[in-house]
């Protein structure tokens, strides 16, 4: 009896360890996917905001006195109005007032990158580039579901 009891206890222990390992792996896959994707999106948003800030600096140099009033040209600089509500670009003054924006807003959770527009050494505006993380969160949740189902199947 003792041999069977030890064998049953060992099987339960191995099964528990295997189950925990499968759970950890099935949760690690979507967590890694989310972080790598978020980091990539963050880098792209930063690069885009920096590029827009450089273009904005050139625009202000060409229109130093009335650049804030040329909203249609500023909107064109940002890429025009957008029907994609998962991303947004805007130009704000230093007090945070929005001068022009490509769309009304971005659903939360969101990633926001802000870059100062410099003319010489003076900051004159902010470029904000926002991306909703909701589509990424939805894809990650689907990946988590598939990973857990595969983990349970193993």
């Amino acid at each position: 009896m003792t041999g069977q009891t030890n064998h049953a206890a060992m099987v339960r222990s191995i099964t528990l360890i295997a189950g925990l390992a499968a759970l950890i792996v099935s949760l690690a896959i979507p967590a890694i996917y989310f972080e790598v994707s978020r980091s990539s999106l963050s880098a792209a948003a930063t690069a885009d905001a920096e590029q827009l800030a450089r273009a904005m600096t050139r625009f202000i140099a060409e229109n130093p006195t009335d650049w804030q009033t040329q909203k249609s040209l500023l909107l064109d600089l940002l890429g025009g109005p957008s029907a994609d509500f998962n991303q947004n670009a805007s130009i704000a003054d230093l007090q945070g007032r929005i001068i022009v924006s490509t769309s009304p807003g971005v659903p939360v959770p969101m990633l926001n990158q802000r870059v100062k527009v410099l003319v010489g050494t003076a900051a004159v505006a902010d470029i904000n580039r926002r991306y909703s993380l909701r589509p990424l969160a939805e894809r990650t949740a689907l990946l988590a579901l598939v990973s857990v189902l595969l983990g349970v199947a193993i």
Side-chain angles (χ1 to χ4, degrees):
M1 286 295 237
T2 306
Q4 285 180 336
T5 305
N6 287 340
H7 184 279
M10 186 184 304
V11 167
R12 278 194 305 274
S13 296
I14 291 172
T15 302
L16 179 63
I17 291 170
L20 287 173
L23 179 65
I24 289 169
V25 168
S26 66
L27 293 177
I29 291 170
I32 292 168
Y33 169 78
F34 181 85
E35 186 52 32
V36 167
S37 297
R38 189 205 57 77
S39 294
S40 175
L41 185 60
S42 178
T46 299
D48 189 35
E50 288 172 351
Q51 180 182 4
L52 288 171
R54 286 189 297 275
M56 191 62 202
T57 298
R58 288 189 300 274
F59 182 81
I60 293 171
E62 294 168 4
N63 306 282
T65 57
D66 64 343
W67 67 269
Q68 289 186 345
T69 61
Q70 298 188 27
K71 294 189 187 305
S72 64
L73 292 175
L74 291 172
L75 190 58
D76 288 344
L77 185 85
L78 294 177
S82 176
D84 183 357
F85 291 105
N86 287 318
Q87 59 178 318
N88 168 284
S90 64
I91 301 170
D93 63 19
L94 294 179
Q95 289 73 41
R97 292 184 298 265
I98 301 294
I99 297 168
V100 66
S101 180
T102 59
S103 64
V106 174
V108 293
M110 75 172 128
L111 174 79
N112 183 37
Q113 296 294 9
R114 176 177 293 151
V115 176
K116 295 281 184 201
V117 176
L118 301 175
V119 174
T121 58
V124 296
D126 289 320
I127 296 287
N128 294 299
R129 198 69 174 98
R130 294 181 185 93
Y131 290 91
S132 176
L133 293 175
R134 188 175 292 172
L136 176 59
E138 290 169 354
R139 289 190 306 269
T140 302
L142 182 61
L143 180 61
L145 177 64
V146 169
S147 293
V148 168
L149 290 174
L150 286 174
V152 168
I154 292 174

